[in-house]
C-alpha cells in the first residue's frame, strides 16, 4: 500500500477522530457481512457444484468478485490500521501528523492489485485492470457494491434450491405412487393415454430437477423462484390421478356390474323363451287371433358380454368401462322388450281368462238369487262355457256369448232394465 499527495486542507483532530470511528464501524459491519456470506448455505452449495448456463457464468463472475472483495477488505483494514497507529502517537497530533492523517483518510493512496479480470466477470467487477488507487471512501463503496452483487447471486440460487428440488422430489415420488396404482389397473404406456402422459410427466420432472440443480438462476424471475413448470406438472399429475382413480373405480365395481348384466340378460332370455312357449300355446288354444312373432335371443349383446369378460380378465379397465356403460343400457332395453313381447303374445290368454272370470262371477250372482236352474240362463251359460273351455277358443264368439249371458241375467234380475253392456254384441 502506498500513500500519495495532498488531499486538501488538513483535518482537525475532532474530524480525524470522527472519521476513524465511522470508518471503524464500517469495517466491523463489512467483516460481519463477509463472514456471514462465507457461511451462507447457498455459497457453500455453489462451491464445487456442477453448474451450467447462466448460473455457471454468473457464479464465476461472483467468485472473482468475492476474491477481490476479500483483497479490498484487507487493503482497507491495513490503511485503517495505519491511520489509527499514526493517531495514537500523541493525544494532540502535530500539524504534520494531521496532514498525514488527512492523506490517509481522504487521499487516493490505497493501491489494490489483482490479476486480469475474466471476461465473464467484467460486467460485475468493472474494467479489467492490474491495479487501482482508491481512497478509503471509494474502497468502502466498491466493497459494498461487490458484496451486494455477490449476495444477489448467492441469495437467488439459495432461494431456488430451497424452493424447488425438494418439492420436485415429492411430486416425483407421488407420480411414482400413481404409476404403481395405474399399472395395477392396466394403465400403462402404449395401452392407455394416461399411461403415456404419466411416463412423459416422470421424464419431464427428472429433466426439470436436473435443470434446477445445475442452472438455478434459469428459474429466478421477478425477484422470486419461478415455479411455473412445477405447478403445471402438479396439475397434470392431478388430472392423471383422477383418470386412474376412475379406472380403479371401474375395476372395483366391475364384478358387481357384470353380475347384474348377466342377470338382466338371463332374465331377458328366459322371458323370450317363455314368450315363444306362450305363443305356441296361444296358437293352439286361441282361434282367429293375431299373435305377434317373438324375436330370438340377443346374440350381439352376449358377444359383447364375452368381450367384457375378456377385458376384465386382461385388466383392460379403460376399455371395459365404456363397454359396460353401453351394455347395461342395451341389456335393460332388451329385458323391457322381452317383457313387452311376452305381454303381447299372452294377451289373448289374458282376455280368455278375464271372460272366464266374468262368466263365473255372473253364475255366482245367479245362484245367490236362486235362478241357477232357469232354463234360459243355463242354456246361455253352457254355451258360453263351452266356447271358453274349448280348444282352440274362438274369442270373438266367446265374448259375444258371455255378453248375451250377462244381458239375460240383468233382464232376469231387473226386468225391462238391461245395462248398456248387455245390449252390446247380443247377436240376436
Amino acid at each position: 500500500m502506498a500513500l500519495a499527495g495532498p488531499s486538501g486542507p488538513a483535518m482537525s483532530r475532532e474530524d480525524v477522530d470522527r472519521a476513524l470511528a465511522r470508518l471503524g464501524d464500517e469495517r466491523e459491519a463489512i467483516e460481519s457481512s463477509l463472514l456471514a456470506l462465507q457461511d451462507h448455505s447457498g455459497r457453500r452449495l455453489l462451491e464445487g457444484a456442477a453448474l451450467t448456463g447462466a448460473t455457471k457464468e454468473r457464479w464465476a463472475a461472483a467468485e472473482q468478485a468475492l476474491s477481490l472483495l476479500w483483497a479490498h477488505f484487507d487493503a482497507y483494514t491495513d490503511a485503517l490500521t495505519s491511520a489509527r497507529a499514526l493517531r495514537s502517537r500523541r493525544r494532540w497530533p502535530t500539524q504534520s501528523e494531521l496532514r498525514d492523517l488527512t492523506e490517509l483518510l481522504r487521499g487516493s493512496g490505497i493501491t489494490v492489485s489483482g490479476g486480469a479480470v475474466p471476461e465473464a466477470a467484467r460486467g460485475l467487477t468493472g474494467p479489467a485492470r492490474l491495479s487501482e488507487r482508491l481512497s478509503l471512501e471509494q474502497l468502502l463503496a466498491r466493497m459494498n457494491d461487490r458484496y451486494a452483487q455477490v449476495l444477489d447471486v448467492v441469495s437467488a440460487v439459495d432461494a431456488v434450491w430451497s424452493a424447488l428440488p425438494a418439492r420436485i422430489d415429492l411430486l416425483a415420488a407421488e407420480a411414482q405412487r400413481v404409476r404403481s396404482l395405474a399399472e395395477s389397473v392396466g394403465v400403462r404406456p402404449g395401452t392407455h393415454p394416461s399411461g403415456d402422459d404419466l411416463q412423459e410427466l416422470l421424464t419431464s420432472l427428472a429433466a426439470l430437477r436436473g435443470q434446477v440443480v445445475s442452472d438455478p438462476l434459469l428459474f429466478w424471475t421477478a425477484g422470486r423462484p419461478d415455479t411455473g413448470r412445477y405447478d403445471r406438472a402438479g396439475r397434470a399429475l392431478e388430472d392423471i390421478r383422477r383418470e386412474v382413480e376412475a379406472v380403479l373405480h371401474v375395476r372395483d365395481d366391475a364384478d358387481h356390474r357384470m353380475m347384474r348384466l348377466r342377470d338382466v340378460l338371463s332374465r331377458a332370455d328366459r322371458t323370450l323363451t317363455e314368450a315363444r312357449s306362450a305363443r305356441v300355446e296361444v296358437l293352439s288354444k286361441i282361434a282367429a287371433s293375431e299373435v305377434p312373432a317373438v324375436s330370438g335371443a340377443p346374440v350381439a349383446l352376449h358377444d359383447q358380454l364375452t368381450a367384457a369378460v375378456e377385458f376384465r380378465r386382461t385388466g383392460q379397465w379403460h376399455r371395459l368401462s365404456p363397454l359396460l356403460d353401453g351394455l347395461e343400457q342395451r341389456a335393460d332395453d332388451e329385458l323391457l322388450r322381452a317383457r313387452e313381447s311376452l305381454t303381447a303374445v299372452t294377451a289373448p290368454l289374458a282376455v280368455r281368462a278375464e271372460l272366464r272370470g266374468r262368466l263365473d262371477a255372473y253364475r255366482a250372482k245367479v245362484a245367490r238369487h236362486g235362478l241357477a236352474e232357469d232354463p234360459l240362463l243355463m242354456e246361455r251359460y253352457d254355451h258360453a262355457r263351452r266356447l271358453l273351455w274349448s280348444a282352440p277358443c274362438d274369442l270373438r264368439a266367446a265374448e259375444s256369448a258371455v255378453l248375451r249371458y250377462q244381458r239375460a241375467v240383468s233382464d232376469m234380475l231387473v226386468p225391462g232394465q238391461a245395462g248398456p253392456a248387455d245390449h252390446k254384441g247380443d247377436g240376436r
Side-chain angles (χ1 to χ4, degrees):
M1 181 181 68
L3 301 178
S7 303
M11 300 170 65
S12 66
R13 179 176 65 90
E14 292 78 7
D15 289 340
V16 168
D17 290 342
R18 282 194 295 271
L20 286 172
R22 179 177 58 80
L23 293 170
D25 291 341
E26 293 284 0
R27 182 202 170 279
E28 295 300 323
I30 292 173
E31 183 178 37
S32 297
S33 297
L34 286 173
L35 292 175
L37 183 60
Q38 196 71 14
D39 290 334
H40 197 290
S41 59
R43 189 203 65 79
R44 292 200 303 270
L45 290 172
L46 277 164
E47 286 188 347
L51 302 175
T52 61
T55 305
K56 181 178 181 179
E57 295 177 2
R58 291 187 61 186
W59 176 237
E63 279 190 306
Q64 178 69 19
L66 186 59
S67 177
L68 292 172
L69 183 55
W70 277 107
H72 291 178
F73 177 74
D74 290 340
Y76 181 93
T77 300
D78 291 344
L80 186 59
T81 300
S82 297
R84 283 173 172 172
L86 179 57
R87 174 64 185 87
S88 66
R89 288 180 185 176
R90 52 180 59 84
R91 183 177 180 185
W92 300 97
T94 65
Q95 194 63 32
S96 175
E97 288 173 337
L98 287 174
R99 284 196 298 271
D100 291 342
L101 284 168
T102 300
E103 185 63 26
L104 283 170
L105 297 175
R106 291 182 175 174
S108 300
I110 304 174
T111 300
V112 290
S113 60
V117 179
E119 184 68 27
R122 292 182 185 179
L124 181 64
T125 61
R129 295 182 182 179
L130 294 178
S131 65
E132 292 181 275
R133 294 178 64 82
L134 304 171
S135 67
L136 279 171
E137 294 290 350
Q138 291 172 328
L139 190 55
L140 178 62
R142 181 69 58 82
M143 286 190 293
N144 285 331
D145 289 343
R146 285 180 174 149
Y147 173 79
Q149 292 165 349
V150 174
L151 185 62
D152 282 347
V153 174
V154 171
S155 298
V157 169
D158 187 54
V160 172
W161 279 348
S162 297
L164 281 173
R167 295 167 70 182
I168 293 171
D169 289 342
L170 289 174
L171 189 61
E174 179 63 14
Q176 291 288 359
R177 190 192 72 80
V178 172
R179 182 166 72 172
S180 297
L181 185 63
E183 289 178 348
S184 72
V185 293
V187 177
R188 299 181 179 88
T191 64
H192 191 284
S194 291
D196 296 330
D197 293 342
L198 188 54
Q199 183 60 46
E200 182 179 347
L201 177 64
L202 285 166
T203 301
S204 67
L205 283 175
L208 176 61
R209 193 186 192 285
Q211 284 184 304
V212 168
V213 170
S214 67
D215 193 6
L217 292 183
L218 183 63
F219 300 87
W220 183 252
T221 304
R224 66 181 193 177
D226 180 3
T227 62
R229 287 173 60 183
Y230 166 83
D231 296 335
R232 288 191 294 275
R235 290 191 294 270
L237 180 59
E238 187 59 31
D239 291 341
I240 295 170
R241 187 208 316 274
R242 283 196 292 268
E243 177 64 24
V244 171
E245 288 176 349
V247 175
L248 182 62
H249 177 71
V250 172
R251 184 194 70 176
D252 294 342
D253 201 37
D255 289 341
H256 170 73
R257 293 176 69 185
M258 292 181 68
M259 185 181 300
R260 177 188 175 278
L261 187 58
R262 289 190 185 94
D263 178 62
V264 171
L265 288 177
S266 176
R267 281 187 285 159
D269 288 344
R270 291 196 303 270
T271 303
L272 287 175
T273 300
E274 184 180 353
R276 284 190 289 272
S277 298
R279 187 172 188 273
V280 173
E281 180 184 0
V282 169
L283 290 174
S284 64
K285 293 182 176 181
I286 307 297
S289 179
E290 294 291 335
V291 183
V294 179
S295 64
V299 177
L301 292 183
H302 285 283
D303 289 344
Q304 290 176 328
L305 179 59
T306 301
V309 171
E310 181 63 17
F311 288 157
R312 169 70 179 84
R313 186 186 67 80
T314 56
Q316 298 183 63
W317 310 107
H318 59 291
R319 295 183 178 177
L320 178 62
S321 179
L323 179 59
L324 286 180
D325 290 342
L327 263 178
E328 286 170 335
Q329 183 59 53
R330 289 192 293 275
D332 289 338
D333 292 343
E334 180 63 23
L335 178 58
L336 178 61
R337 185 182 66 82
R339 287 171 173 170
E340 290 174 345
S341 181
L342 177 61
T343 299
V345 165
T346 57
L349 293 177
V351 171
R352 187 185 68 173
E354 190 274 332
L355 290 173
R356 286 178 173 180
R358 197 193 314 171
L359 182 65
D360 288 342
Y362 270 85
R363 173 68 172 169
K365 186 177 182 180
V366 166
R368 287 198 303 272
H369 287 82
L371 300 175
E373 302 302 324
D374 182 84
L376 176 63
L377 295 182
M378 288 179 63
E379 184 273 329
R380 292 193 177 180
Y381 172 79
D382 289 341
H383 178 65
R385 193 176 190 285
R386 281 195 303 272
L387 290 174
L388 285 173
W389 266 267
S390 64
C393 173
D394 186 338
L395 280 181
R396 292 185 179 88
E399 183 179 16
S400 178
V402 170
L403 288 174
R404 289 177 64 204
Y405 178 66
Q406 288 180 239
R407 195 191 68 168
V409 171
S410 298
D411 287 346
M412 190 73 68
L413 295 178
V414 185
Q417 297 185 19
D422 296 324
H423 296 288
K424 176 176 155 185
D426 187 348
R428 291 190 303 176

